[in-house]
Amino acid sequence: MTKPQYLTGDNAAINEFIDRFDVFLLDCDGVIWTGDHVFDGVPETLEFLRSRGKKVVFVTNNSTKSRQEYVKKFTGLGIQSNAEEIFGSAYSSAIYISRILKLHPFKNKVFVIGEAGIEEELRSENVPFIGGTDPAFRRDITPEDFEGIADGSLLEPDVGCVLTGLDFHINYLKLSHALQYLRRGAVFLATNTDSTFPMAHNFFPGAGSIGKPLAYMMNQQPVALGKPGKAMMDAIEGKFELDRARTCMVGDRLNTDIKFGIEGKLGGTLAVLTGVSKPADWEAKDAVAVPAFYVDKLSDLGAFAQGGAQET
Ligand SMILES: O=C(O)[C@H](O)[C@H](O)COP(=O)(O)O
Ligand SMILES: [Mg+2]
């Protein structure tokens, strides 16, 4: 097993690393921030990469926000960005449903388990949907619900897809509706299947753990449209006209970000230690992926520039 090259503090190696690539695909949760806390030096490091002529694309599995909402978050946190350089799993899912899946016209509605990010991206692709943040689903199930879901009178006949993502309001009622749509043949999709969500310097239930009950009930895995899936990499390559050999994936999670970069045959992968994965994870004999490089934190890439030390 090849060992990743540790770059932190090695200015010559960092310089050489940066010059290998034209594009950096940057994961967000666990790399740029945890919740609304931006890791130290990240804004300066992004500007440093851009000053070196590098393209920065934010590639996040977090489907709770649309590209526009992420621009607001970036701006509010002092990071310059625009919607064209943000590629989230909600957007990836919306374009997959509207342009690839092509649901039958009489079965083209999506039942959403997730937040507003999914709804806004489905709207941007003119994909009809129900569920999501609808307050009608944020309540306990009633005996009338059991009857109406069971006999179908509370179900919408044109739902042909169930899409699950990170949902901070998941409940038995939503899962009951989703189960019935799946039992009636709806396509089972997930924005992503991350097991945990890095937040407040700790871990919370991830999108994958929200949708897992349905996978268990149906004995079926959803098609996931985020990292590490091929569909997302192909969509990113097409949109940004990438040279994969000159592109590096930077992330905090081995089974999404680093696997995404390796299986996508990118020129390189860089792990950071501010999120989910640690060196012990890739040193394990059953490691799901091993990064080519790693640093303690993203800002290590620009530290020497910020420190004013002479670049070698
Ligand atoms: O549970 C989730 O959806 C993920 O943990 C989370 O949102 C990952 O976001 P990323 O690290 O890809 O920015
Ligand atoms: Mg992450």
Side-chain angles (χ1 to χ4, degrees):
M1 174 193 79
T2 51
K3 278 173 66 70
Q5 183 180 347
Y6 183 51
L7 298 177
T8 297
D10 184 342
N11 295 346
I14 288 173
N15 235 342
E16 186 192 334
F17 165 80
I18 291 171
D19 286 343
R20 283 173 181 232
F21 307 107
D22 302 324
V23 181
F24 287 88
L25 305 183
L26 298 182
D27 173 45
C28 296
D29 289 337
V31 174
I32 306 290
W33 53 50
T34 175
D36 287 337
H37 168 78
V38 180
F39 296 121
D40 290 346
V42 163
E44 297 83 353
T45 304
L46 298 177
E47 286 320 307
F48 165 67
L49 290 172
R50 288 169 171 146
S51 72
R52 291 275 288 261
K54 308 304 178 182
K55 173 128 186 89
V56 166
V57 179
F58 299 104
V59 182
T60 177
N61 269 3
N62 188 320
S63 60
T64 62
K65 289 182 177 60
S66 64
R67 289 159 296 159
Q68 287 70 22
E69 288 297 312
Y70 270 114
V71 171
K72 285 184 201 158
K73 176 170 182 176
F74 276 114
T75 303
L77 295 172
I79 298 174
Q80 188 270 326
S81 76
N82 66 71
E84 284 310 302
E85 58 185 15
I86 298 170
F87 206 101
S89 62
Y91 177 55
S92 175
S93 301
I95 57 177
Y96 177 82
I97 292 169
S98 68
R99 306 180 197 176
I100 310 290
L101 189 60
K102 296 196 188 306
L103 291 166
H104 187 281
F106 298 152
K107 282 278 188 187
N108 66 348
K109 190 173 283 181
V110 180
F111 184 80
V112 174
I113 288 184
E115 298 292 339
I118 295 177
E119 296 174 322
E120 286 167 33
E121 296 293 9
L122 289 176
R123 270 191 213 102
S124 73
E125 289 290 314
N126 299 315
V127 176
F129 65 88
I130 56 171
T133 61
D134 181 349
F137 287 93
R138 292 184 178 177
R139 58 178 176 79
D140 293 342
I141 194 166
T142 65
E144 294 73 23
D145 290 315
F146 278 112
E147 292 300 324
I149 291 169
D151 66 21
S153 59
L154 284 177
L155 302 180
E156 298 205 9
D158 53 351
V159 169
C161 175
V162 169
L163 175 63
T164 64
L166 188 52
D167 188 329
F168 299 119
H169 305 84
I170 189 64
N171 63 25
Y172 193 85
L173 180 64
K174 287 181 179 181
L175 288 171
S176 299
H177 277 266
L179 172 61
Q180 284 311 316
Y181 287 123
L182 292 173
R183 287 171 58 88
R184 288 163 172 247
V187 175
F188 189 11
L189 302 178
T191 58
N192 59 304
T193 53
D194 295 54
S195 55
T196 56
F197 170 45
M199 178 68 167
H201 303 283
N202 207 316
F203 300 101
F204 291 82
S209 299
I210 298 298
K212 198 71 178 174
L214 288 168
Y216 182 54
M217 292 176 223
M218 293 298 294
N219 189 27
Q220 174 192 356
Q221 297 307 315
V223 171
L225 281 316
K227 300 170 288 186
K230 183 179 181 303
M232 191 181 216
M233 183 64 81
D234 290 350
I236 290 170
E237 179 184 38
K239 175 169 180 157
F240 299 102
E241 296 176 341
L242 294 181
D243 172 357
R244 294 194 187 205
R246 297 280 303 170
T247 301
C248 181
M249 179 68 207
V250 181
D252 69 297
R253 191 172 207 131
L254 292 185
N255 66 352
T256 54
D257 306 313
I258 305 305
K259 188 176 179 194
F260 184 61
I262 292 169
E263 293 189 347
K265 296 184 173 35
L266 299 188
T269 52
L270 174 76
V272 298
L273 304 183
T274 45
V276 172
S277 297
K278 304 299 176 203
D281 297 316
W282 63 69
E283 288 161 0
K285 60 182 186 321
D286 60 347
V288 66
V290 177
F293 304 93
Y294 77 103
V295 287
D296 294 343
K297 52 196 182 305
L298 184 67
S299 58
D300 290 347
L301 292 186
F304 66 97
Q306 291 156 30
Q310 286 308 311
E311 288 183 40
T312 48

